[in-house]
């Protein structure tokens, strides 16, 4: 069953066409990684699906709700109620954490359930503490973001995304802001979510990780999807552009 459907998506910034007729589907419980060079449109695609960017053309459906469709030549977004439902069904993990610096770790995780979903504070607190324990952060509940390592901050960001119990998790290069020695702890957490049958779309430059965790790999180049296949097909591709890109990663040898 498709939980995400993207059809003929285009995104322009002025005269610059960043996404060119992108179409793909993601099934419930599937893990899809999106790879490609910087500037290929990967993060823009994620931001369009998360209502952080408005599309120029195209259609997006998430968990049975239509976020945007075409009316004539113009995109038309669903009403505020539909947009909120979609927000509740999705979690987004930013590459630079985006934690509230003046809130404790616990409050960072509690904030969306209380303020967006209307969850009672005690229930939200209990849920948040369980998530922090699951991610090995129970001792950091009363700490502030400035007191955390980069790996801890990203794990808090993941806990915050999980707090609304979303149907889909989006990761935008979740390890790009981390020192190499901290990357492993975050990738380990993401792998543990895969065991829960969580639907995930992950933009990443960690090729070995993408090869290991993915059900499908989407390779993008210059705003188009070049390949959308299993890891085995993509990482052994005969496509010249794909081979050129993957050839830069020595950890795949």
């Amino acid at each position: 069953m498709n939980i995400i459907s993207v059809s003929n998506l285009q995104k322009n910034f002025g005269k610059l066409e960043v996404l060119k007729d992108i179409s793909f589907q993601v099934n419930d419980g599937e893990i899809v990684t999106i790879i490609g060079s910087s500037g290929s449109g990967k993060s823009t695609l994620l931001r369009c699906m998360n209502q952080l960017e408005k599309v120029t053309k195209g259609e997006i459906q998430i968990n049975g709700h239509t976020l945007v469709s075409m009316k004539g030549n113009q995109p038309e977004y669903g009403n505020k109620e539909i947009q909120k439902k979609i927000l509740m069904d999705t979690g987004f993990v930013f590459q630079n954490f985006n934690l509230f610096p003046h809130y404790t770790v616990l409050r960072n995780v509690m904030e969306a359930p209380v303020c967006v979903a209307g969850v009672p504070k005690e229930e939200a607190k209990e849920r948040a503490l369980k998530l922090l324990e699951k991610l090995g952060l129970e001792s950091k509940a009363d700490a502030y973001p400035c007191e955390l390592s980069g790996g801890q901050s990203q794990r808090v960001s993941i806990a915050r995304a999980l707090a609304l119990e979303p149907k889909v998790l989006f990761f935008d290069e979740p390890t790009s802001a981390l020192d190499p020695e901290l990357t492993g702890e975050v990738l380990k957490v993401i792998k543990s979510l895969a065991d829960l049958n969580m639907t995930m779309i992950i933009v990443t430059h960690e090729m070995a990780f993408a090869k290991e965790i993915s059900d499908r790999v989407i390779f993008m180049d210059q705003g188009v999807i070049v390949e959308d296949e299993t890891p085995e097909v993509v990482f052994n591709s005969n496509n010249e552009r794909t081979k050129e890109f993957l050839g830069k990663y020595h950890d795949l040898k």
Side-chain angles (χ1 to χ4, degrees), residues 78-95:
N79 59 36
K80 288 184 178 180
E81 182 180 349
I82 289 175
Q83 291 184 44
K84 183 178 179 180
K85 283 180 179 178
I86 292 173
L87 282 175
M88 298 282 286
D89 284 338
T90 57
F92 194 93
V93 179
F94 296 87
Q95 56 183 298

Side-chain angles (χ1 to χ4, degrees), residues 130-194:
K130 286 181 179 179
L131 282 170
L132 292 175
E133 181 180 2
K134 177 181 174 63
L135 298 181
L137 293 164
E138 61 270 29
S139 65
K140 299 295 183 181
D142 296 323
Y144 287 86
C146 64
E147 302 173 296
L148 305 177
S149 70
Q152 289 168 339
S153 294
Q154 192 59 294
R155 280 186 283 152
V156 173
S157 180
I158 293 171
R160 181 181 61 182
L162 289 169
L164 283 172
E165 300 179 340
K167 303 292 185 183
V168 183
L169 268 185
F170 296 90
F171 294 84
D172 186 10
E173 298 184 20
T175 61
S176 67
L178 302 180
D179 294 332
E181 62 267 26
L182 297 177
T183 295
E185 69 180 70
V186 172
L187 297 182
K188 184 178 178 180
V189 168
I190 298 173
K191 287 178 186 178
S192 74
L193 299 178

